[in-house]
Amino acid sequence: MKTYRQGDVLFIQMEIRNIERMKEDLSKLERTTVVARGEATGHTHELSDPDSAILVEVGGWFRIERYDSRRHDFRIVLHTDTGATIKHPEHGHLNLPKGTYMIRNQREYMSYTDND
Amino acid sequence: MLDIRTGKENSKLSTGIIYASVRNGELIVRTCGPKSQTREKHVIEHDKITESLCTRGNNQHLMPGMSNIWHKKGGAYYIRPGIDGELIVKQEGVTTDKHIIRNGEQVESLRILGARKEHWVAGTFEKIYERGALVYERYFRDDWEMLYKGKFLRKVEKEYTLERYSDHGDMVREVVYWSNGQQMYDIHQQDKDICVFDEHGLPLSKITLATGLSLDNKLLKPIIDLSAIVHLTARFPGEWYYETYYCKSDWIFSWMKGREFSPEEGFKCGEYYYFIRGIRVPEHIAQGQYGAADILNYPNETVRNELLRRHGLARLARELHGQTLDKNETYELIRFPVPHGTVPDTVLKVLKMRCPSTQKWHFLRVPPQCNNINEALNWTYGIRITDTRSARTKLEMITET
């Protein structure tokens, strides 16, 4: 799987079998332009052009295995037909090629109770 | 009290057939119909009825079957619904229960177990007597609902007597007395200042809470745990402080303060108590006089993790020379031994990473199972180590900014 990183945010490109069906499902959800907000500085990772991609926070009912056989837990999905750019005040612009991405934030290990 | 229809203690009464469970003993049913009275007696041995006798008026005869009771598997006996009368259940050598039945409903029960007697009246009260003395009384309204207003509970223990009061169906007050009748404390819902007195009526302790005390009627023991106060182990929600006094004086013997059920600082017998995340620690640790080696050598894991958080991984990596497990221009995976760690945390692994944009170094703790940079980095983004090792789900970093 191809991944792209901007600071503490990771974009994992998904191989979607039925893109139209997924886009239809995503269209039922509220769109946003903010990928993530920094915990310390409050700076945001966000879309440079809001029309360049569908970016939605998904709830528990949205299961990516309907569209990609590899199951993953995630909170935000980004789909772009033309390619999209993510901007952040402290990091360089991240250019994402066309495709569907699930988005993960960085986490830290605490002890054995916090295993995966 | 046993609900004979469900076989459960303190269960909510439900309509339906009446149930009793007897392994060895007797079941006696007395019914009083509009025209006649009957008495059935069934002797039960090892879950089986061995003898049945029925008396109707002056006629007495052995019963071929049971008229008001029928047997089900598992030693359970069901009473015909709709009857008025009494059901007496004698468990051989153990208990005798007497249940009053009105129109098939259990309305009153009496259980005798040696010197203990339990008396229950539906929707009214439950009382327990020990050797003739009333030691427990609880008052209800419908079924098992708390009394709407007034004293709903009184419980006598060897050391104290507990009383509770309700208003509008909620518990609003608790009073505890010493065994000599002297009041220990009297608290109301949302009280913030609580005084506790000893058996002679002298102040023993004072508790000050930032948020009012919430009274809970579910636990059948005093809300203020005097033993915990004396031993400096009591905890409360919100910010809290309490102190105890020397006998017959107002000198403070000990005190403790904390917040959200976690002590922070205390004093007893000339000695200060310090805590980190509710765990007692030495003074120098509480005052921040420790280095990275002290942290990794600290025996308690909760405290060790908290000290790590306060100290920071960057500072730790600067102070100690860990073993580099994997390294490239942007990342380094470093290993530090943790002598008192529990498996698998006998080592601390830190991923040192440089931001491609800002060129700043960042440090993240990763699981001890990570063997290389790729596994560690992927784990920080929520990807399982097993997925990282799998060719099918192998991740390939295309761009980093």
Side-chain angles (χ1 to χ4, degrees):
Chain A
M1 285 188 285
K2 292 179 178 174
T3 61
Y4 302 79
R5 183 164 86 91
Q6 186 181 54
D8 58 356
V9 179
L10 186 74
F11 300 77
I12 304 172
Q13 193 168 24
M14 308 303 294
E15 294 165 13
I16 303 299
R17 287 195 299 269
N18 190 338
I19 288 180
E20 291 309 314
R21 183 179 164 194
M22 188 201 66
K23 282 168 70 176
E24 187 183 330
D25 283 349
L26 289 179
S27 69
K28 296 170 187 168
L29 299 167
E30 191 177 350
R31 287 174 66 161
T32 177
T33 60
V34 176
V35 175
R37 199 176 296 276
E39 287 181 10
T41 60
H43 292 152
T44 54
H45 302 260
E46 60 182 322
L47 281 170
S48 287
D49 177 6
D51 296 326
S52 62
I54 303 168
L55 181 65
V56 290
E57 274 193 45
V58 292
W61 66 271
F62 190 89
R63 299 173 75 86
I64 199 72
E65 61 264 41
R66 292 174 68 186
Y67 321 103
D68 184 306
S69 58
R70 288 163 300 189
R71 182 182 173 181
H72 290 285
D73 301 320
F74 58 99
R75 199 172 53 84
I76 300 180
V77 171
L78 182 150
H79 175 81
T80 173
D81 288 324
T82 57
T85 300
I86 309 296
K87 62 178 182 179
H88 186 276
E90 291 177 340
H91 299 284
H93 283 19
L94 178 69
N95 295 315
L96 296 171
K98 70 174 184 178
T100 306
Y101 301 84
M102 67 173 193
I103 298 167
R104 283 254 174 83
N105 282 82
Q106 217 158 27
R107 62 174 171 168
E108 186 164 19
Y109 181 77
M110 291 301 291
S111 68
Y112 71 97
T113 53
D114 180 41
N115 54 18
D116 63 352
Chain B
M1 182 59 72
L2 184 77
D3 178 350
I4 57 175
R5 273 163 301 186
T6 62
K8 293 175 183 172
E9 295 284 344
N10 290 348
S11 63
K12 196 164 185 171
L13 291 179
S14 55
T15 56
I17 55 179
I18 290 175
Y19 160 99
S21 179
V22 185
R23 291 186 66 83
N24 290 292
E26 292 178 0
L27 270 179
I28 300 166
V29 185
R30 292 193 190 111
T31 62
C32 43
K35 293 180 181 174
S36 65
Q37 294 185 349
T38 63
R39 182 178 185 273
E40 291 174 32
K41 179 180 174 184
H42 308 279
V43 178
I44 298 160
E45 293 175 359
H46 303 296
D47 291 341
K48 289 182 180 169
I49 293 178
T50 56
E51 187 183 337
S52 293
L53 194 69
C54 180
T55 306
R56 191 186 299 273
N58 293 325
N59 300 323
Q60 193 177 78
H61 54 88
L62 290 173
M63 296 173 65
M66 291 177 288
S67 57
N68 286 311
I69 298 178
W70 69 94
H71 186 202
K72 287 243 177 177
K73 284 181 183 175
Y77 296 87
Y78 293 86
I79 314 301
R80 183 166 59 83
I83 64 169
D84 283 354
E86 291 177 358
L87 168 68
I88 298 170
V89 184
K90 293 183 178 177
Q91 298 272 11
E92 194 173 65
V94 186
T95 57
T96 300
D97 291 353
K98 181 179 175 182
H99 306 288
I100 310 294
I101 297 158
R102 293 279 178 271
N103 197 26
E105 295 285 326
Q106 177 188 13
V107 294
E108 185 174 353
S109 292
L110 197 67
R111 167 178 284 187
I112 296 172
L113 174 65
R116 181 183 171 94
K117 192 170 86 173
E118 297 175 10
H119 187 196
W120 169 83
V121 175
T124 308
F125 67 77
E126 180 186 22
K127 295 182 180 180
I128 298 174
Y129 300 82
E130 297 275 5
R131 299 181 205 286
L134 182 61
V135 296
Y136 177 90
E137 48 189 318
R138 188 156 197 157
Y139 298 90
F140 308 102
R141 38 188 167 139
D142 299 333
D143 287 347
W144 297 97
E145 290 288 314
M146 189 194 298
L147 188 71
Y148 191 71
K149 188 178 177 68
K151 182 164 75 177
F152 71 89
L153 174 75
R154 183 172 179 274
K155 187 183 172 203
V156 180
E157 291 287 344
K158 194 176 173 185
E159 297 85 9
Y160 63 83
T161 298
L162 170 70
E163 286 184 0
R164 287 179 178 165
Y165 298 81
S166 67
D167 192 9
H168 291 79
D170 292 320
M171 177 177 164
V172 293
R173 183 184 173 205
E174 177 176 290
V175 189
V176 178
Y177 301 93
W178 292 98
S179 54
N180 66 0
Q182 189 72 45
Q183 185 179 289
M184 186 188 294
Y185 64 78
D186 180 357
I187 54 174
H188 294 75
Q189 179 82 308
Q190 298 305 319
D191 268 358
K192 292 181 179 176
D193 295 308
I194 300 158
C195 287
V196 184
F197 300 93
D198 69 7
E199 290 164 280
H200 310 290
L202 296 170
L204 184 68
S205 179
K206 185 180 176 188
I207 305 163
T208 308
L209 307 173
T211 53
L213 195 68
S214 177
L215 300 183
D216 180 3
N217 72 319
K218 292 186 180 65
L219 288 174
L220 285 178
K221 58 182 184 181
I223 284 166
I224 303 298
D225 185 345
L226 191 60
S227 171
I229 296 275
V230 170
H231 293 103
L232 286 192
T233 56
R235 284 131 201 247
F236 300 94
E239 284 191 33
W240 50 268
Y241 169 84
Y242 62 82
E243 56 194 26
T244 63
Y245 308 106
Y246 279 107
C247 184
K248 296 182 181 176
S249 79
D250 56 359
W251 293 356
I252 294 173
F253 175 71
S254 65
W255 57 264
M256 179 74 84
K257 68 174 182 179
R259 67 179 71 211
E260 296 302 338
F261 299 103
S262 190
E264 291 180 338
E265 201 179 340
F267 176 85
K268 187 179 184 181
C269 297
E271 186 184 1
Y272 278 92
Y273 286 42
Y274 299 94
F275 299 86
I276 286 180
R277 293 182 66 182
I279 296 164
R280 195 175 171 196
V281 295
E283 184 179 354
H284 71 279
I285 294 288
Q287 293 179 348
Q289 295 165 4
Y290 52 82
D294 299 322
I295 296 173
L296 295 188
N297 277 302
Y298 201 84
N300 182 281
E301 183 182 302
T302 304
V303 174
R304 192 166 57 238
N305 285 334
E306 177 61 22
L307 296 180
L308 264 177
R309 190 188 66 76
R310 293 182 185 183
H311 202 69
L313 290 171
R315 204 167 146 198
L316 178 130
R318 274 200 308 273
E319 291 178 23
L320 296 177
H321 296 288
Q323 177 193 359
T324 299
L325 298 175
D326 193 7
K327 187 177 182 180
N328 63 27
E329 288 180 358
T330 316
Y331 299 99
E332 183 179 356
L333 182 63
I334 313 169
R335 174 187 185 277
F336 301 92
V338 182
H340 300 292
T342 49
V343 176
D345 293 314
T346 51
V347 293
L348 172 78
K349 289 188 180 175
V350 175
L351 181 66
K352 182 180 173 183
M353 51 205 294
R354 186 165 58 192
C355 174
S357 304
T358 63
Q359 298 300 309
K360 285 181 185 170
W361 287 100
H362 296 276
F363 296 80
L364 282 178
R365 186 174 172 187
V366 295
Q369 294 87 348
C370 295
N371 293 326
N372 54 51
I373 290 167
N374 193 35
E375 289 175 5
L377 182 63
N378 285 332
W379 184 89
T380 68
Y381 289 111
I383 296 159
R384 289 188 291 264
I385 296 169
T386 47
D387 283 352
T388 305
R389 290 171 184 165
S390 160
R392 186 168 167 261
T393 49
K394 197 172 176 71
L395 301 174
E396 179 189 2
M397 187 67 78
I398 305 297
T399 309
E400 292 178 276
T401 66

